[in-house]
Amino acid sequence: MWAELLPVGRSAASGGYRRHAWNSADAECRAWFREQAESRGLAYEADRNGNQWAWLGDPRAGGAIVTGSHLDSVPDGGAFDGPLGVVSSFAALDELRARGAEFDRPLAIVNFGDEEGARFGVACVGSRLTAGVLSREQAYELRDADGVRLPDAMERAGHDPAAIGGDDERLGRIAAFVELHVEQGRYLTEEQPVGVAGAIWPHGRWRFDFHGEANHAGTTRIEDRRDPMLTFASTVLAARGRAGADALATFGKVAVEPNGTNAIASLVRGWLDSRAADEATLERVVAQIGAAAAEYGGRDGVRVELTRESFTPVVDFDVPLRDRLATTLGGVPVLPTGAGHDAGILASAVPTAMLFVRNPSGVSHSPAEYAQEADCLTGVAALADVLEDLACR
Ligand code: HGY
Ligand code: MN
Ligand code: MN
């Protein structure tokens, strides 16, 4: 499976993946998923929101056990964030069949669309739409950097956007969802390369628009400038100053207009990703960064606008399901995480759990992300054990 998947959407220049919602690399990943499903005799379907499903047993029967993850990436992402969960799901099914397992309920493998939100700015679009936490109207308003609307991108990629929206009927047929994911930190050890998720920190994305005045870089006196780059730079430092053990604050994306070397910018847009141990802390941190931006804006003659683009409240995974997984696996570490996941979105509607597989360097959202084969195989065996416990006689 990896041999087929690894070249898809990989940039030769950076070695990172550029599999973004509904682009050509995403289409190749989706074709790969469909092939994996059909070659195993699973019933393939794409749901109204473009998530892909591979079913063993009758999808209509209800009480299904679902596993899977996502295949899209951040800009220049690593090979494992997402794909490890999908590949491991197919491998775990192969393992269960080799064991001669007899299923007493339907099992599905899912590839959720647009988990990273790299193109349209909102993460977990496929699962959010399904769970009804992103409305059809909000989704129709999303645009990429070129101004292409999400429904148009879907349509161009061959998915009819007419029916996107909440899908309670589908969620009602799921008894439990388990997502396996590469760890994005360094808690797990060689002795214990698999853990279960405890909670996901609340997190969100905020867009700061700094409106200044375009002018000539060589002729405009310093005191006459309204330079939004300066306000942006001061705001980045304020964010860094406020971040610490209880909260993270990152500006990882910036867009500048007109983006010319010899012109003072007219507009700088900076996107803040912030996450904290609890919601009150997160709100306080973002408010403090917003207040700092407004103050620097006053200093620089720059108007600052702040827009929340997405938000995910704290997720506490289902405790009985987590305990059941831990028992099945003979006791494993329980990890908190600052990363968002489709499992975190589904957790509001369905008993949900996550398995993490060791990442020796902890690096993620980077071409350097990796996991060792032995740990990945331990992950597959763990997922197979969990699915056998949940779905088999
Ligand atoms: O950004 C995140 O936390 C996730 O990987 N989508
Ligand atoms: Mn990710
Ligand atoms: Mn992921």
Side-chain angles (χ1 to χ4, degrees):
M1 285 186 271
W2 285 116
E4 285 173 17
L5 208 46
L6 284 175
V8 178
R10 187 169 182 270
S11 152
S14 68
Y17 290 92
R18 297 174 182 178
R19 299 164 176 165
H20 308 322
W22 308 107
N23 74 3
S24 60
D26 187 51
E28 276 185 72
C29 288
R30 297 169 68 83
W32 173 88
F33 182 95
R34 182 173 188 157
E35 259 169 52
Q36 294 302 315
E38 290 174 348
S39 70
R40 288 173 174 79
L42 306 174
Y44 170 82
E45 61 167 339
D47 69 19
R48 56 203 290 183
N49 296 311
N51 306 306
Q52 298 181 291
W53 301 76
W55 288 93
L56 177 72
D58 179 6
R60 305 272 133 209
I65 303 301
V66 179
T67 186
S69 190
H70 63 97
L71 294 173
D72 68 316
S73 76
V74 295
D76 280 338
F80 296 92
D81 176 357
L84 183 64
V86 177
V87 167
S88 298
S89 297
F90 284 117
L93 173 61
D94 296 344
E95 163 73 14
L96 288 176
R97 283 175 158 170
R99 289 181 193 175
E102 287 182 46
F103 293 85
D104 63 1
R105 42 169 85 229
L107 178 80
I109 297 172
V110 63
N111 167 31
F112 281 111
D114 197 2
E115 194 274 346
E116 298 287 7
R119 181 168 175 190
F120 296 100
V122 174
C124 301
V125 167
S127 56
R128 273 184 213 272
L129 278 168
T130 301
V133 295
L134 177 71
S135 72
R136 173 195 162 77
E137 291 70 32
Q138 289 168 321
Y140 263 71
E141 289 307 310
L142 295 176
R143 287 175 191 272
D144 71 8
D146 298 322
V148 178
R149 293 182 331 138
L150 172 65
D152 296 335
M154 277 182 166
E155 196 151 25
R156 282 179 210 167
H159 180 76
D160 179 2
I164 65 171
D167 202 345
D168 286 345
E169 187 276 328
R170 176 172 297 271
L171 293 173
R173 290 188 269 120
I174 303 174
F177 175 55
V178 180
E179 178 172 1
L180 178 147
H181 203 277
V182 68
E183 201 204 343
Q184 297 171 295
R186 292 175 61 183
Y187 288 97
L188 294 168
T189 59
E190 246 171 289
E191 294 69 42
Q192 286 200 301
V194 173
V196 294
I200 299 181
W201 277 20
H203 57 281
R205 299 179 183 189
W206 289 262
R207 193 184 77 231
F208 286 68
D209 295 330
F210 301 94
H211 299 270
E213 184 180 58
N215 215 330
H216 196 295
T219 60
T220 315
R221 293 186 313 166
I222 290 296
E223 54 270 35
D224 293 338
R225 295 180 179 209
R226 292 172 47 213
D227 184 351
M229 195 65 85
L230 205 59
T231 322
F232 172 62
S234 297
T235 305
V236 173
L237 293 174
R240 181 54 185 266
R242 182 54 198 82
D246 62 337
L248 298 168
T250 309
F251 280 96
K253 174 173 161 178
V254 62
V256 180
E257 289 176 21
N259 211 19
T261 307
N262 55 354
I264 296 162
S266 58
L267 172 69
V268 174
R269 285 209 157 103
W271 280 264
L272 171 72
D273 176 308
S274 190
R275 312 177 187 222
D278 60 77
E279 283 175 34
T281 307
L282 181 57
E283 272 174 34
R284 198 166 54 244
V285 166
V286 174
Q288 285 168 344
I289 298 169
E295 192 186 321
Y296 295 126
R299 179 195 67 189
D300 303 333
V302 166
R303 183 167 61 82
V304 183
E305 265 179 296
L306 176 52
T307 311
R308 188 175 89 174
E309 291 198 334
S310 71
F311 182 74
T312 307
V314 67
V315 176
D316 285 309
F317 286 110
D318 189 78
V319 174
L321 183 61
R322 184 181 88 201
D323 289 350
R324 184 164 170 176
L325 262 60
T327 307
T328 302
L329 300 175
V332 284
V334 178
L335 316 181
T337 175
H341 300 284
D342 295 305
I345 305 299
L346 252 63
S348 61
V350 170
T352 296
M354 290 190 75
L355 290 176
F356 290 122
V357 172
R358 177 174 168 254
N359 173 338
S361 67
V363 171
S364 188
H365 286 186
S366 151
E369 173 189 82
Y370 89 109
Q372 286 170 345
E373 185 172 337
D375 293 339
C376 294
L377 292 173
T378 305
V380 170
L383 182 60
D385 291 346
V386 163
L387 297 176
E388 186 167 25
D389 171 53
L390 295 172
C392 298
R393 268 182 208 116

